[in-house]
Amino acid sequence: MPSPTEALRRAARSLGILDWIRIGVLALGLLFVATGTLPADTARSSVERIAPLLLFLFSVIVLAELTKEAGVFDALAQRMARAGRGNYAALFLLCVAFASVNTVFLNLDTTAVLLTPVMLALAARARIAALPLAMTTVWLANTASLLLPVSNLTNLLAAERVALETPAFAARMWAPQLTVLAVTMALLWVFFWRRSMRGADTYDVPDVAPVRDRVLFSATGAACLLFIAAILAGVHTGVQLGIAATIAAAVAVAAFAVRDRSALRPALIPWQLMVFVTGLFLVVPTLERYGLDDAMRSLVGGDDGTAGAMRAAFAGAGLSNVLNNLPAYVAGESAVPASNKEQLLALLIGTNVGPVITPWGSLATLLWFEWCRRWNVRVPIGKFLLTGTALSILGCAATIAVLIAVP
């Protein structure tokens, strides 16, 4: 049996660069608290605020991991692969439609949690490269989140600020949404799906594999439907969503406790995500105390025309990739004059479409990276950054132009 020191060394060697970044962010946040740079009361308030989010993260990853173990994602993947009939163009359109509809109606985090493993299972079943399918999921989780208030938490905040109910919000955002979907599809095909990228003309249509355990399959499938039903019923606040995810995860855990206890292992716990999110919500309040809000006011300006919209969008996108899109939107919203509705919607576009460059740009991207890690899918960071930069710049520019042109 290895000594505690040797066990720590092995654990350290198993950590990747993103794991070290996550740990570093938490360490920096704790340093701010320890030195008084962030007052203890503010730190405690921030952690209490994200407690429901941590509950959601913990529960939803456990739910999705056990659902994967039960074969539900495999079954969905088989049906998608068979629907494409070996044709990559047809499969591409199916994946884009599936990811877009899921994001619009269920929200981007649900796409990252429930659709990513379906896409990765599809790659395994059809024996094709996983990266094109994975990138389709993460890009559309972000860029397909403009149409409805429920598609993204930032949308809910913006809709309240500009006083737009769901039909009016959709009427204002349908053209920008279609525009960014077109840009996303074009870049996905060029960077990941074309013949030279995917490496084959056709893919193998998989046979339908039998379900290993019908009880587990049914129980975890029902748990996922329960979670989705909670979202469709209008469960939007952190506490409610966390509770819904916890109940659904408890159903899955109970089924495995009866049928297959070996699957209930410590690796189910998404410690990387919880460490990073906790650290992030200690670092960001510190930055807000030392000039972040003032910096956003300088970047955004007060022009409600085209120039002001572009400034707001790219300021929001830039800050989202440095910190995270939710604090970026909140900081930007406070900088936009109350009467500048077009500029606020432009900021929203920047914080929804823009955070596709860094792994921490949005919670959906963080969840997506967690799934790629669990499926042992290698994501080339250089290519992720460069292609994400192209999507962020082109997507924001085209979408803002349409926002201004189509009132």
Side-chain angles (χ1 to χ4, degrees):
M1 182 175 179
S3 65
T5 302
E6 180 60 26
L8 286 173
R9 286 175 181 168
R10 289 182 183 178
R13 284 195 296 267
S14 69
L15 297 176
I17 185 170
L18 290 178
D19 295 328
W20 285 113
I21 289 173
R22 292 160 180 150
I23 293 170
V25 169
L26 178 60
L28 182 61
L30 293 175
L31 179 64
F32 287 153
V33 176
T35 58
T37 308
L38 180 67
D41 288 345
T42 304
R44 187 180 305 109
S45 175
S46 185
V47 171
E48 288 173 353
R49 190 174 65 191
I50 65 165
L53 176 58
L54 294 176
L55 176 65
F56 166 75
L57 289 175
F58 176 88
S59 300
V60 83
I61 288 294
V62 171
L63 168 64
E65 184 71 27
L66 292 177
T67 304
K68 167 200 162 192
E69 190 76 20
V72 175
F73 297 143
D74 266 349
L76 290 171
Q78 290 168 25
R79 283 159 178 74
M80 283 187 66
R82 292 176 70 82
R85 300 188 177 187
N87 185 293
Y88 270 103
L91 183 65
F92 173 68
L93 293 176
L94 280 170
C95 292
V96 167
F98 195 8
S100 299
V101 170
N102 197 83
T103 300
V104 166
F105 291 102
L106 295 182
N107 82 37
L108 73 169
D109 297 328
T110 306
T111 295
V113 170
L114 298 182
L115 190 54
T116 302
V118 173
M119 295 294 198
L120 298 180
L122 171 56
R125 283 290 176 191
R127 293 190 289 275
I128 60 179
L131 192 60
L133 293 159
M135 292 303 300
T136 300
T137 309
V138 71
W139 276 10
L140 287 167
N142 289 284
T143 64
S145 66
L146 290 177
L147 186 62
L148 300 178
V150 300
S151 305
N152 199 326
L153 177 57
T154 54
N155 294 5
L156 290 169
L157 299 175
E160 182 178 352
R161 170 77 179 269
V162 298
L164 292 176
E165 298 295 332
T166 296
F169 189 93
R172 187 67 189 90
M173 299 301 285
W174 71 265
Q177 180 65 90
L178 288 179
T179 301
V180 75
L181 284 179
V183 172
T184 304
M185 290 175 66
L187 294 182
L188 278 170
W189 189 266
V190 169
F191 289 139
F192 299 101
W193 279 85
R194 59 191 168 94
R195 173 66 174 79
S196 60
M197 296 291 105
R198 64 179 188 252
D201 291 319
T202 61
Y203 66 88
D204 296 330
V205 179
D207 296 327
V208 176
V211 174
R212 178 173 59 89
D213 188 315
R214 282 283 174 189
V215 173
L216 292 177
F217 185 92
S218 300
T220 55
C224 287
L225 290 175
L226 174 65
F227 176 60
I228 291 170
I231 297 170
L232 290 174
V235 182
H236 301 308
T237 68
V239 174
Q240 292 173 322
L241 193 57
I243 291 173
T246 301
I247 293 171
V251 172
V253 169
F256 271 88
V258 173
R259 305 287 294 187
D260 184 8
R261 291 191 181 184
S262 64
L264 302 177
R265 54 194 182 275
L268 289 175
I269 299 172
W271 68 266
Q272 292 95 335
L273 272 177
M274 300 180 76
V275 161
F276 180 78
V277 171
T278 303
L280 184 68
F281 278 81
L282 293 176
V283 171
V284 170
T286 306
L287 298 178
E288 289 175 345
R289 288 175 55 84
Y290 291 92
L292 177 61
D293 290 344
D294 292 337
M296 279 302 289
R297 275 189 283 272
S298 298
L299 289 171
V300 169
D303 179 10
D304 200 30
T306 302
M310 287 290 182
R311 285 182 63 175
F314 282 101
L319 188 59
S320 294
N321 285 295
V322 172
L323 298 176
N324 179 267
N325 69 329
L326 183 55
Y329 174 80
V330 173
E333 185 184 65
S334 67
V336 174
S339 59
N340 291 9
K341 293 187 177 181
E342 296 297 295
Q343 194 180 26
L344 185 74
L345 292 176
L347 171 71
L348 177 67
I349 288 170
T351 54
N352 284 17
V353 174
V356 290
I357 301 174
T358 58
W360 52 84
S362 70
L363 178 58
T365 308
L366 281 170
L367 290 164
W368 176 83
F369 264 101
E370 175 71 10
W371 269 117
C372 289
R373 184 187 69 81
R374 286 172 179 261
W375 280 72
N376 296 315
V377 173
R378 180 180 172 272
V379 179
I381 294 299
K383 186 171 185 178
F384 183 87
L385 296 176
L386 290 174
T387 57
T389 299
L391 175 59
S392 183
I393 293 172
L394 295 176
C396 285
T399 308
I400 296 303
V402 171
L403 176 75
I404 299 300
V406 184

